[in-house]
Amino acid sequence: ALGVLDNSVVLPPSGCTQRPQQSEEFDLQRALRRSALFFAPGGKYFEMGLTNCTPQGVVGALLFRLHSRTCEYASSQDPSAQAVSVVQKLCRREISMKAFIEAVLPGTNPSMVQAALYAQGLRFHSANMRRAGVTPLSEPERILRELAAEQRDILCARVLRARVKEESSGRRKELRKMERLQIIEE
């Protein structure tokens, strides 16, 4: 989702098992394109049944609640006035993902928050994974950088494990060969 490719991973030299510091670079445009699959109304992941509610549904409900508490008709005796006010906001597209981000996280880049929300949701998709806490959405660039570095570190660890497995396999073969030669010599 962040454009982390195998060729962007820093690998240690052969024989070294210490993992090097990884780059925090990410491809924001790729993250936005990937997150658009999720955040699109009737998005790919909603259609596949991987979520029971689109992000727009959650955002709509939260903004509806926020508007109903703050609108000028909130204390009105006429409940239809409040409903009309909400419908007007919906028609003017004042209730949207961007409006939600601007209302909840003023001063942040809505596109970057969307990408961070998507990437963080992929990484920390259960309550157990979030138990230790996650970086707040008010710092979207930090989220994306940390996740990109973590992804590269995971790829590096896989390569190192494969190297160690290959080397140990080679040593086992060599030991078996030496044992067979010793038996033949006796």
Side-chain angles (χ1 to χ4, degrees), residues 5 14 21 24 34 39 49-50 62 70-71 88-89 99 102 120 129 133 142 149 157 174:
L5 304 173
S14 194
Q21 182 71 30
E24 294 181 340
R34 298 298 299 169
F39 289 100
L50 298 178
L62 292 173
T70 60
C71 82
Q88 287 172 344
K89 278 200 172 270
E102 289 172 346
Q120 197 174 57
M129 296 175 115
R142 178 177 159 207
E174 190 62 35

Side-chain angles (χ1 to χ4, degrees), residues 104-148:
V104 176
L105 301 167
T108 59
N109 177 341
S111 296
M112 196 168 283
V113 172
Q114 177 179 318
L117 181 62
Y118 170 72
Q120 197 174 57
L122 289 176
R123 171 64 178 87
F124 300 101
H125 54 83
S126 71
N128 283 339
M129 296 175 115
R130 293 185 299 272
R131 187 165 288 166
V134 294
T135 305
L137 284 172
S138 59
E139 302 176 47
E141 187 169 356
R142 178 177 159 207
I143 291 170
L144 295 170
R145 290 190 176 285
E146 287 174 354
L147 291 174

Side-chain angles (χ1 to χ4, degrees), residues 22-115:
Q22 297 295 330
S23 167
E24 294 181 340
E25 294 302 311
F26 60 91
D27 183 349
L28 178 60
Q29 294 309 311
R30 179 177 167 79
L32 289 173
R33 283 192 307 273
R34 298 298 299 169
S35 68
L37 294 174
F38 188 79
F39 289 100
K44 175 181 175 181
Y45 297 109
F46 183 72
E47 296 290 325
M48 291 169 47
L50 298 178
T51 181
N52 59 358
C53 183
T54 64
Q56 289 81 1
V58 173
V59 166
L62 292 173
L63 281 175
F64 180 83
R65 177 70 177 139
L66 178 66
H67 177 69
S68 68
R69 295 188 74 204
T70 60
C71 82
E72 60 190 79
Y73 303 107
S75 60
S76 171
Q77 297 298 324
D78 181 15
S80 64
Q82 190 173 1
V84 168
S85 173
V86 169
V87 169
Q88 287 172 344
K89 278 200 172 270
L90 284 169
C91 290
R92 289 191 305 257
R93 297 187 164 269
E94 292 176 15
I95 295 180
S96 65
M97 180 65 79
K98 183 178 179 181
F100 174 75
I101 291 169
E102 289 172 346
V104 176
L105 301 167
T108 59
N109 177 341
S111 296
M112 196 168 283
V113 172
Q114 177 179 318

